[in-house]
Amino acid sequence: SQTIHQWPATLVQPVGSPLSLECTVEGTSNPNLYWYRQAAGRGLQLLFYSVGIGQISSEVPQNLSASRPQDRQFILSSKKLLLSDSGFYLCAWSDQVGTEAFFGQGTRLTVV
Amino acid sequence: GNSVTQMEGPVTLSEEAFLTINCTYTATGYPSLFWYVQYPGEGLQLLLKATKADDKGSNKGFEATYRKETTSFHLEKGSVQVSDSAVYFCALSERAGGTSYGKLTFGQGTILTVHP
């Protein structure tokens, strides 16, 4: 069966520090991969998606970037964190048909 | 563009009460519709889905019917339990093809608290 792993579960980082969140998927090949963010008091917003290695699409302008160095690995990064980057980050995958997404457990990021 | 609007929360109910969470959507195409649930401290789990008009998704006693004429996908449960306390998200995805690839547009979420 397919599983998705996301780490770390919680993270506290100072303003201006770098960020790297990692997500890996097992049990499937060539998945579509997604990063979502849930800011406090708000709904989920799609940040990035990827349909293949090295292929990244950004949905909203922001301080973050994403990379897909391997088929089942998706990384969310920042060179310098802002207070507004705080939130709950969720990684997800779907198959190539893309009619259903499966989510990781999430990373709660607090920028202080 | 696409959008999803959910009823404002939070919703507080007593155990065994009837639950309705309203959801309406706007989409340029013919989307698939979903309800996701987020239990405290966890990620999202798919609760149910419907992919075409008049389809009824159901799971764990929850139901929602895809109403194209009213662009709605309201979530209902006849008798809620304390364990149903969670945040519920309505969402849509466009059909595969072009650049859509199943990207989800979410509503803002509705917090449900069920008391014994």
Side-chain angles (χ1 to χ4, degrees):
Chain A
S1 64
Q2 302 89 355
T3 56
I4 179 169
H5 302 281
Q6 189 181 339
W7 66 93
T10 59
L11 190 59
V12 180
Q13 291 284 99
V15 169
S17 64
L19 172 73
S20 180
L21 301 181
E22 189 164 342
C23 172
T24 59
V25 181
E26 296 178 357
T28 187
S29 60
N30 199 25
N32 296 325
L33 297 171
Y34 311 83
W35 278 111
Y36 287 85
R37 175 171 61 197
Q38 184 180 21
R42 298 187 178 182
L44 282 157
Q45 183 180 39
L46 178 63
L47 302 178
F48 299 97
Y49 71 95
S50 171
V51 301
I53 295 174
Q55 301 179 60
I56 309 294
S57 296
S58 175
E59 288 292 293
V60 293
Q62 59 199 296
N63 182 44
L64 302 168
S65 62
S67 62
R68 185 170 178 174
Q70 300 179 36
D71 181 45
R72 290 169 289 177
Q73 184 184 30
F74 204 26
I75 297 172
L76 184 69
S77 304
S78 174
K79 292 182 179 178
K80 290 185 178 181
L81 284 168
L82 306 173
L83 287 174
S84 57
D85 292 324
S86 294
F88 190 54
Y89 289 83
L90 285 162
C91 181
W93 74 273
S94 69
D95 57 28
Q96 284 299 317
V97 177
T99 59
E100 182 173 339
F102 301 90
F103 287 81
Q105 295 297 301
T107 295
R108 185 160 301 283
L109 171 66
T110 304
V111 182
V112 296
Chain B
N2 300 331
S3 67
V4 176
T5 302
Q6 287 180 236
M7 64 183 288
E8 292 289 332
V11 174
T12 303
L13 296 173
S14 297
E15 206 164 25
E16 299 184 1
F18 183 83
L19 168 71
T20 299
I21 301 177
N22 290 337
C23 172
T24 57
Y25 68 90
T26 302
T28 54
Y30 196 167
S32 296
L33 302 174
F34 307 84
W35 277 100
Y36 280 85
V37 59
Q38 183 181 28
Y39 297 104
E42 299 183 10
L44 267 67
Q45 302 174 26
L46 179 65
L47 181 60
L48 53 85
K49 67 176 181 179
T51 58
K52 61 182 187 294
D54 299 325
D55 266 2
K56 177 184 285 188
S58 61
N59 185 27
K60 299 181 181 180
F62 291 89
E63 293 182 341
T65 301
Y66 190 142
R67 300 290 188 197
K68 192 170 187 292
E69 64 277 13
T70 54
T71 62
S72 65
F73 192 54
H74 305 322
L75 182 68
E76 296 182 337
K77 186 174 185 181
S79 176
V80 294
Q81 305 299 313
V82 172
S83 57
D84 294 326
S85 297
V87 183
Y88 292 81
F89 291 93
C90 186
L92 68 81
S93 72
E94 296 181 7
R95 294 206 177 272
T99 58
S100 297
Y101 296 102
K103 296 178 293 181
L104 289 165
T105 299
F106 283 89
Q108 66 269 40
T110 301
I111 300 172
L112 170 66
T113 304
V114 180
H115 293 298

